Amino acid sequence: MELKDGRVTIQLLPDLAPRHVERIKVLARRNFYDNTPFHRVIEGFMAQGGDPTGTGTGGSDLPDLPAEFTPANRARFLRGTCGMARTSNPNSANSQFFIMFAPAPNLDGQYTIWGRVVAGMEAVDKIKRGQGPSGMVPPPADRIRAMRVAADVR
């Protein structure tokens, strides 16, 4: 993932969430994430993106995914963890995802973990923060410049 402040390398975790990892790969290969904003960013919590509308209500044309929650003894929401965003319906993840700035044990077992940042977390730390309790980012929001599957990059 290319951000304004550098490249972020995310290790995919298909052993935890095979359907969600496949979705991220399919969308990245379609260039779906390119130029999408981080529309919700909360200091000390997380940065959320993957919605082309930038409103938090958009997604891809693909169907929503069933939850692939991981027990906390296998994976936890720590700094750098990548999870899928969803509504109150656990089976509503589509394209939106978030990257954790800090641990959030309250999310363990409640949201799907699909990856972890293994390089470039300093670029994630520089994403523009949102305002108020919802963390909605006023324009202009920082954007994903490009997101690719490393195996495809030559």
Side-chain angles (χ1 to χ4, degrees):
M1 180 168 54
E2 294 292 335
L3 303 180
K4 71 177 179 11
D5 291 299
R7 177 173 288 171
V8 178
T9 304
I10 299 169
Q11 176 187 5
L12 300 174
L13 301 172
D15 56 319
L16 298 182
R19 288 187 205 110
H20 287 76
V21 166
E22 185 58 27
R23 173 63 54 89
I24 295 290
K25 289 165 63 173
V26 164
L27 293 176
R29 286 176 170 141
R30 288 184 178 180
N31 301 331
F32 175 88
Y33 290 113
D34 295 6
N35 201 38
T36 57
F38 282 98
H39 64 274
R40 184 171 177 247
V41 184
I42 300 173
E43 179 65 45
F45 182 38
M46 59 86 217
Q48 182 173 329
D51 172 6
T53 72
T55 64
T57 62
S60 76
D61 61 348
L62 299 172
D64 290 348
L65 293 166
E68 294 179 295
F69 299 159
T70 305
N73 64 350
R74 286 198 60 216
R76 303 180 65 91
F77 280 91
L78 306 171
R79 177 172 164 77
T81 297
C82 301
M84 287 302 275
R86 60 174 177 80
T87 66
S88 59
N89 175 354
N91 301 310
S92 63
N94 188 289
S95 65
Q96 293 186 47
F97 66 91
F98 55 92
I99 303 172
M100 302 302 298
F101 291 127
N106 58 308
L107 300 184
D108 294 346
Q110 305 294 314
Y111 288 79
T112 298
I113 294 172
W114 60 268
R116 76 171 62 94
V117 174
V118 294
M121 194 62 195
E122 62 280 357
V124 175
D125 287 335
K126 293 178 182 174
I127 295 171
K128 180 181 175 180
R129 301 310 198 257
Q131 299 174 341
S134 71
M136 292 304 287
V137 179
D142 285 347
R143 295 179 174 270
I144 297 171
R145 290 186 172 172
M147 191 158 151
R148 300 290 178 264
V149 178
D152 299 343
V153 179
R154 309 215 187 294

